[in-house]
Amino acid sequence: MNRFIFSMDAHVSEPKTLWQDKLPFHLRSRALRSQRDEKYINMIADNKVLHRMQIGDNNTDHPRLGSSDLELRLQDMAQDGIDGELIYPNLGTMIPRIEDPELALASVQVYNDWAIEKFSPYPEVFVASALLPMVDAASTLAELKRVHALGYRTATLPIKPAGDLRYNDPSLEPIWEYAEARGIVLTFHISTGLVLVQEKGPGAAVINYTKLSFENQNLVAYFVCSGVLDRHPKLKIVVVEAGASWIAALGERMDESYTAHNYYVRPKLSRMPSEILYSQVVATFQYDRACFNNIPITGHKCMVWASDYPHMEGTFPHSRKVVAELFADNPELSEQVKADILGGTAAELFGITPRRLEERRLAA
Ligand code: MN
């Protein structure tokens, strides 16, 4: 099958000393970095451990050689059948956990300056996402304007903003306005920001990964119910790595409340919450078969496939098999629907010409 496949969730490993080398001098001693000890990889900034991961023994059979080198990455993609990727940082996903606003802002700027240059030779294969801080509206808007001028088409905000800020705060309106007017897609990757999910007891590994996806659902409720997406009907938000079958359940739940509690509902929306949700929110998934069953309710434009390369929970090097199995379980899906979920919807969002990687390489 010769389909265009664009993974809506992939990560790049930054150079080890990126922030130590590039931050303004007075901030360098507090720079974001990762440090291994016997048991853990510790992600550190501002003299605090922001996150630590136990060193696992999995996946030694399939090292991800392209996590930082783009030529090797293209080889991995060709092997795995992937034609394009939306790129997030690795260590940089920790920046929204930095509490000092000056250090957080300077850290995203270092990443944004580095990533646009790194991926600029391959504009139709890689779409790099800029990082935005979310401490206050003014600094986020200023950085959004700066990265747009640098050439970014999409930017990512933390699932949980800093402090008490919430995404229904009216002060954030100019950000949504700016993004909508310029067609900048806003994305929200699982586990970014001040997400406090640290179960350690029985079941912890699965409980933590599951709970993280609930944060993405909460976030979507804020954008839909507060009227942000209704006031900005061209604004698209993408929620990343939290599956997609919950979209239908959330739509049903919001509609039920919107109708039954209508007396209390403010603001009133011009469309039902579910209609806003299905047309302006896009969720990425790796293994979620159940979302296809909801297509009669949600349509298929709110679900897109992703590999999460080079992460362990991702589908490399078996993406072809994963995709084939997803569709084998759902034989009634049309070719158009499959093509959109795998790459067509992503191409529309980012204005990319859907072309197979091998065709591009032959043409180059
Ligand atoms: Mn991811």
Side-chain angles (χ1 to χ4, degrees):
M1 194 56 67
N2 212 24
R3 295 193 192 97
F4 169 72
I5 303 188
F6 188 96
S7 165
M8 282 285 282
D9 179 18
H11 298 262
V12 62
S13 296
E14 308 88 345
K16 280 191 168 48
T17 57
L18 177 66
W19 288 277
Q20 283 151 295
D21 295 343
K22 302 282 184 184
L23 278 172
F25 281 107
H26 71 285
L27 296 173
R28 288 186 186 180
S29 66
R30 296 153 66 202
L32 180 62
R33 63 195 185 277
S34 104
Q35 234 168 39
R36 283 174 91 98
D37 58 29
E38 277 158 31
K39 244 181 124 182
Y40 296 103
I41 297 170
N42 298 290
M43 298 165 189
I44 297 168
D46 210 3
N47 306 313
K48 284 181 207 128
V49 176
L50 304 176
H51 186 63
R52 63 176 201 182
M53 277 171 25
Q54 206 166 341
I55 297 169
D57 60 358
N58 47 359
N59 273 297
T60 44
D61 290 349
H62 298 291
R64 274 66 163 159
L65 297 174
S67 68
S68 56
D69 181 306
L70 295 191
E71 278 306 312
L72 295 176
R73 191 178 190 100
L74 289 166
Q75 287 174 27
D76 276 355
M77 290 166 69
Q79 182 202 332
D80 207 26
I82 308 292
D83 304 304
E85 292 180 330
L86 176 58
I87 301 286
Y88 294 98
N90 251 345
L91 193 50
T93 57
M94 293 294 134
I95 295 172
R97 299 184 192 203
I98 296 174
E99 286 173 47
D100 175 27
E102 185 196 8
L103 182 61
L105 179 59
S107 299
V108 297
Q109 289 177 332
V110 165
Y111 177 82
N112 291 338
D113 290 343
W114 171 78
I116 196 76
E117 201 182 316
K118 168 106 176 162
F119 290 98
S120 62
Y122 312 93
E124 293 267 292
V125 177
F126 299 113
V127 177
S129 183
L131 292 178
L132 295 179
M134 184 42 90
V135 179
D136 61 82
S139 60
T140 303
L141 182 61
E143 184 60 8
L144 180 59
K145 289 179 177 174
R146 196 183 78 86
V147 297
H148 182 61
L150 290 176
Y152 281 99
R153 289 169 271 179
T154 177
T156 190
L157 287 156
I159 298 275
K160 278 281 181 85
D164 295 327
L165 195 60
R166 298 287 176 271
Y167 282 119
N168 58 355
D169 195 301
S171 72
L172 304 178
E173 202 61 20
I175 298 166
W176 318 138
E177 245 170 58
Y178 187 88
E180 182 191 35
R182 284 149 192 88
I184 300 170
V185 176
L186 297 178
T187 72
F188 299 84
H189 189 283
I190 194 172
S191 189
T192 47
L194 301 172
V195 178
L196 302 171
V197 179
Q198 283 302 334
E199 180 57 62
K200 292 194 168 101
V206 179
I207 291 169
N208 284 333
Y209 193 64
T210 307
K211 277 171 78 173
L212 286 176
S213 70
F214 301 155
E215 300 285 357
N216 293 50
Q217 299 177 36
N218 289 337
L219 172 108
V220 169
Y222 275 75
F223 272 90
V224 174
C225 304
S226 68
V228 169
L229 295 181
D230 194 31
R231 287 191 296 278
H232 304 286
K234 291 193 181 129
L235 183 62
K236 301 270 186 175
I237 67 168
V238 182
V239 287
V240 181
E241 216 187 318
S245 52
W246 53 267
I247 294 238
L250 185 66
E252 296 286 299
R253 180 74 175 175
M254 290 191 300
D255 283 2
E256 182 186 342
S257 173
Y258 190 81
T259 307
H261 302 157
N262 194 260
Y263 177 77
Y264 305 102
V265 169
R266 285 173 202 85
K268 298 290 191 247
L269 306 172
S270 71
R271 296 165 283 162
M272 286 300 281
S274 62
E275 202 184 327
I276 296 168
L277 172 66
Y278 305 152
S279 59
Q280 288 176 258
V281 177
V282 177
T284 83
F285 68 96
Q286 285 128 244
Y287 294 102
D288 190 350
R289 291 167 306 161
C291 61
F292 301 141
N293 298 333
N294 298 334
I295 290 176
I297 295 171
T298 64
H300 71 276
K301 291 297 189 93
C302 57
M303 53 186 78
V304 292
W305 186 79
S307 72
D308 202 29
Y309 181 91
H311 288 172
M312 295 306 143
E313 61 272 27
T315 55
F316 179 83
H318 308 295
S319 297
R320 281 193 179 85
K321 185 164 168 274
V322 170
V323 167
E325 284 172 3
L326 280 170
F327 291 152
D329 286 343
N330 293 274
E332 74 289 356
L333 294 179
S334 71
E335 276 309 311
Q336 183 63 52
V337 165
K338 293 178 195 173
D340 284 348
I341 289 171
L342 289 176
T345 299
E348 263 172 46
L349 280 173
F350 301 123
I352 297 168
T353 313
R355 279 175 80 186
R356 299 300 318 272
L357 191 58
E358 67 234 37
E359 289 170 37
R360 289 191 196 284
R361 306 202 93 189
L362 287 174

